Amino acid sequence: MAEHELDVSLLPHGLRLFVVTMGLDDAVKALSEEQGNLFFIPDKPTPNHEFCKRFSVDMARALSNHAGSTYQIPKLDKILIQLRNIKIRQEFKQGASVQDLVRRYKLTRQMINIIVTSEANGAPILVGDAHKQMELKL
């Protein structure tokens, strides 16, 4: 994976479908506008159906297991976290200090260190609550 690419394998299945089917930019745009909304997924998708107008016939087909029922559009936060982490790693490689990144992204030093070292160790950082907090003795 190149440093600027999103690792779709780390995304929840619903988000992964949107990114793979629509492409990252289109998925981010559509999800940011429609996240959390309910849509009816047609059994036989056509370009005139409300869901297909917003997301595409291909996306309706990708959600075929939800055909004939309503579907809640997933939240975008997992994608945004990964994109933020990619940007943090790029800025760190270009010379930004950890403290600069702490101020800019409003994250702890610990989290910045986890983000910038995860790629160096060959392991992508997991999104959400997958990382453990370090216990610091006072």
Side-chain angles (χ1 to χ4, degrees):
M1 177 176 90
E3 69 181 15
H4 62 279
E5 291 181 12
L6 182 74
D7 186 353
V8 294
S9 70
L10 297 178
L11 296 175
H13 178 71
L15 283 176
R16 191 177 320 141
L17 268 178
F18 280 86
V19 172
V20 168
T21 304
M22 298 177 69
L24 178 60
D25 291 339
D26 289 341
V28 167
K29 184 177 186 308
L31 290 169
S32 66
E33 294 170 4
E34 301 294 350
Q35 63 185 333
N37 289 330
L38 288 173
F39 281 88
F40 180 79
I41 308 299
D43 289 325
K44 297 178 182 172
T46 65
N48 294 328
H49 189 275
E50 180 183 359
F51 179 86
C52 299
K53 285 180 186 176
R54 187 66 196 104
F55 295 99
S56 81
V57 171
D58 289 338
M59 192 63 233
R61 288 186 184 126
L63 292 171
S64 62
N65 57 325
H66 296 282
S69 64
T70 57
Y71 178 79
Q72 185 171 355
I73 305 304
K75 292 189 57 137
L76 185 60
D77 59 338
K78 301 292 187 204
I79 293 173
L80 296 178
I81 289 169
Q82 276 202 55
L83 293 174
R84 179 207 64 200
N85 292 350
I86 289 167
K87 190 172 181 183
I88 288 171
R89 282 192 291 271
Q90 288 172 339
E91 289 180 24
F92 183 76
K93 284 181 180 179
Q94 294 169 354
S97 72
V98 170
Q99 191 58 38
D100 290 340
L101 297 170
V102 165
R103 284 187 194 114
R104 189 172 306 131
Y105 291 97
K106 308 293 188 239
L107 297 171
T108 64
R109 290 182 65 82
Q110 177 187 358
M111 193 64 209
I112 295 294
N113 281 318
I114 289 170
I115 292 167
V116 299
T117 60
S118 63
E119 182 184 46
N121 297 332
I125 186 156
L126 299 175
V127 294
D129 297 325
H131 70 280
K132 300 271 185 212
Q133 286 284 333
M134 280 183 10
E135 287 188 32
L136 301 174
K137 295 187 181 196
L138 299 176

